[in-house]
Amino acid sequence: MSYLELGAIGELIAALATVITLIYLSKQIRTNNKLAISDLENKLNSRVYDRRFTVARDKEFAKFLAKDWSSEELTKSEKTQITQYVTMLIIDAREVFLQDKLGFVSDGLLKARINVLKMGIMTNPTAKSVWATYKQLVEPEFANYFEKEIYPDGIDEDAIKVNPLYKSEKK
């Protein structure tokens, strides 16, 4: 065998090794992407599990969540608790929305977050006031999505005035 033939065989082996390496690397990248998605979903879901566990073990908090949040009898303190809880839920939905937009979470994760909010949490005046405030701070794409899902008929801009933290401008 001549040097020329040995060189051609060497180039063929090098080309095959390159193709095999690229196939291996692409499989590794896919696996790493799946692991990253799994880790992110685990973290997102862990927050939900932690909230549920808190409710399960804290009778006072469970009583608070079971109250009629539309009641006129709620104290300012209870309304403030509602604003903080609802804000947390909206922030969580926004984060999942952004991850979903990037393709980093599985189908249905965002829908699950929105469905919880559709169960009535967002129908009371205090929750509406939270959204009226918070929607001014988020990306228009999320605000449009959220309102289409939660408030398809829109929301009164004066809803913000019901927020227990709202301070009117003094004249």
Side-chain angles (χ1 to χ4, degrees), residues 61-102:
F61 190 60
K63 285 180 187 176
F64 165 71
L65 289 178
K67 285 187 176 199
D68 177 4
W69 287 6
S70 295
S71 172
E72 294 293 324
E73 296 174 15
L74 292 172
T75 66
K76 187 172 182 176
S77 174
E78 289 171 324
K79 289 179 182 179
T80 301
Q81 283 180 294
I82 292 169
T83 63
Q84 298 310 307
Y85 189 76
V86 168
T87 300
M88 176 203 53
L89 294 174
I90 293 171
I91 289 169
D92 183 62
R94 177 182 167 266
E95 186 173 330
V96 174
F97 172 84
L98 295 172
Q99 299 299 335
D100 183 69
K101 185 176 153 185
L102 295 170

Side-chain angles (χ1 to χ4, degrees), residues 76-140:
K76 187 172 182 176
S77 174
E78 289 171 324
K79 289 179 182 179
T80 301
Q81 283 180 294
I82 292 169
T83 63
Q84 298 310 307
Y85 189 76
V86 168
T87 300
M88 176 203 53
L89 294 174
I90 293 171
I91 289 169
D92 183 62
R94 177 182 167 266
E95 186 173 330
V96 174
F97 172 84
L98 295 172
Q99 299 299 335
D100 183 69
K101 185 176 153 185
L102 295 170
F104 291 160
V105 293
S106 58
D107 293 340
L109 197 63
L110 177 59
K111 191 91 173 136
R113 296 301 204 278
I114 295 299
N115 285 341
V116 167
L117 297 175
K118 284 181 173 181
M119 293 176 74
I121 291 172
M122 299 304 295
T123 60
N124 68 79
T126 305
K128 288 179 181 179
S129 75
V130 170
W131 176 246
T133 303
Y134 197 72
K135 77 177 192 174
Q136 299 171 30
L137 307 173
V138 298
E139 305 80 3

